[in-house]
Amino acid sequence: MSQPLIPPHGRHVDLREYDPAFTGHVSKEQARERLPALRARLNELQDTLYADRRFAVLVVLQGIDTAGKDGTIKSVFQDVGPLGCSVANFGVPTDVELAHDFLWRYHRDTPEKGKFVVFNRSHYEAVLVERVKGLVPETTWRARYDQINAFERFLAGENVVIMKFFLHISRDEQRERLQERVDNPKKHWKFRHGDLEERRNWDQYQLAFADMLSHCNPAHAPWHVVPADHKWYRDAVIAQALVDRLEALGLRYPGPFEHLAGIRVE
Ligand code: AMP
Ligand code: MG
């Protein structure tokens, strides 16, 4: 089975056509070998982005519980220095956040020019958990696809490069990862009884993910459907996609701000 990383724009996505255990023709050894070079390249590109100051980069990570959002951040961004990179985590909204429009808290954390921000969960929760748990009526979450598209179009017009990754895992893989959280004392802190309740909503989440991928996948802010049952494949795919996108930007170190000829530092 071969499958595109980016679903065709403007078409309905059926997640059953995407195998979460897909690894293409890449072996685990090859991916593991390649990752350090990709991480180093990502760091170089980030450094140039910081100096260049023309673009900002927004990376969006979504996926069901245990899909590997935290693990991706730890692995892919391991070598990216803290100077121009940060992570924004989005949990249950606070009262203040709820009192604003739904995009407010996300807009506040978007990157400035030269910076790289990773959204660990994102504005898409407004059409995911809020839809599945019935926190807002259907007319509200349905209207949000257009509102999200308008938001991202606006950001892209302001030179924010948007890269969205949906971490796609299988139901069996989630069972194993949740069980590991129960069995491994180092992972107990990650486990909530509510996670089991959420697992019962598996099918509704898959539908909500498919709708998100179908309605909000323009060329300037594409979704990548990342097969994520194998962590080594997930990390290599995401690192490669980021490197490719950043390389295509033609980033460069700016020339001197002032005249340098003949200056001798004593
Ligand atoms: P974690 O990612 O494990 O730190 O958990 C964050 C929790 O916040 C998850 O259970 C999400 O479902 C929840 N969450 C994130 N965004 C929203 C939102 N907009 N409304 C309600 N719950 C949310
Ligand atoms: Mg959690």
Side-chain angles (χ1 to χ4, degrees):
M1 182 174 172
S2 86
Q3 52 192 26
L5 181 57
I6 299 178
H9 301 294
R11 278 223 248 120
H12 184 76
V13 174
D14 182 349
L15 273 177
R16 287 168 303 187
E17 290 170 12
Y18 292 81
D19 177 8
F22 181 75
T23 56
H25 300 296
V26 186
S27 73
K28 188 171 180 173
E29 289 66 37
Q30 283 169 325
R32 285 245 167 100
E33 235 170 55
R34 180 134 180 71
L35 196 54
L38 288 170
R39 287 186 186 124
R41 182 71 187 125
L42 197 58
N43 184 37
E44 278 170 10
L45 286 161
Q46 203 285 315
D47 196 62
T48 325
L49 181 88
Y50 187 73
D52 185 308
R53 298 289 160 111
R54 283 179 300 157
F55 300 97
V57 178
L58 175 60
V59 177
V60 170
L61 295 181
Q62 283 293 165
I64 204 150
D65 281 340
T66 76
K69 299 182 288 295
D70 294 354
T72 297
I73 295 170
K74 278 192 219 164
S75 168
V76 172
F77 299 96
Q78 185 170 299
D79 289 348
V80 176
L83 199 53
C85 181
S86 59
V87 178
N89 299 299
F90 296 102
V92 179
T94 64
D95 287 347
V96 174
E97 288 167 349
L98 283 174
H100 286 80
D101 67 87
F102 84 97
L103 287 171
W104 180 74
R105 68 170 180 163
Y106 305 104
H107 199 177
R108 203 177 39 175
D109 279 336
T110 53
E112 61 198 77
K113 305 259 159 48
K115 300 259 175 107
F116 213 112
V117 169
V118 183
F119 275 11
N120 187 7
R121 298 186 189 269
S122 70
H123 43 298
Y124 284 96
E125 291 297 341
V127 289
L128 296 170
V129 64
E130 295 190 39
R131 164 183 174 173
V132 170
K133 285 194 174 170
L135 302 177
V136 291
E138 177 164 353
T139 46
T140 301
W141 60 256
R142 282 219 178 270
R144 287 175 170 175
Y145 297 116
D146 283 345
Q147 291 159 348
I148 287 173
N149 285 333
F151 174 58
E152 292 182 355
R153 199 180 319 118
F154 167 71
L155 292 177
E158 294 281 314
N159 275 359
V160 180
V161 176
I162 305 169
M163 296 283 282
K164 303 181 299 203
F165 297 96
F166 168 61
L167 309 186
H168 186 35
I169 60 165
S170 64
R171 203 162 187 275
D172 281 346
E173 184 64 23
Q174 190 195 45
R175 181 174 36 72
E176 280 177 29
R177 293 185 187 182
L178 281 174
Q179 190 64 51
E180 168 74 4
R181 289 181 180 185
V182 173
D183 297 342
N184 180 349
K186 283 192 182 165
K187 297 197 173 173
H188 285 172
W189 65 276
K190 284 194 178 192
F191 185 81
R192 294 272 181 289
H193 286 125
D195 294 346
L196 300 180
E197 210 172 292
E198 283 290 75
R199 180 168 160 77
R200 281 185 217 115
N201 296 326
W202 179 271
D203 291 341
Q204 283 153 274
Y205 272 108
Q206 297 306 306
L207 262 183
F209 285 129
D211 281 346
M212 161 192 94
L213 296 165
S214 305
H215 294 304
C216 302
N217 189 31
H220 59 261
W223 271 113
H224 300 68
V225 179
V226 180
D229 272 3
H230 300 288
K231 296 170 183 173
W232 53 268
Y233 188 70
R234 170 197 79 194
D235 294 346
V237 162
I238 294 175
Q240 184 72 62
L242 288 170
V243 164
D244 290 348
R245 184 76 185 90
L246 290 175
E247 283 186 339
L249 287 177
L251 299 170
R252 47 169 165 69
Y253 289 100
F257 291 116
E258 297 177 6
H259 191 65
L260 298 184
I263 293 180
R264 275 268 153 272
V265 180
E266 299 293 329

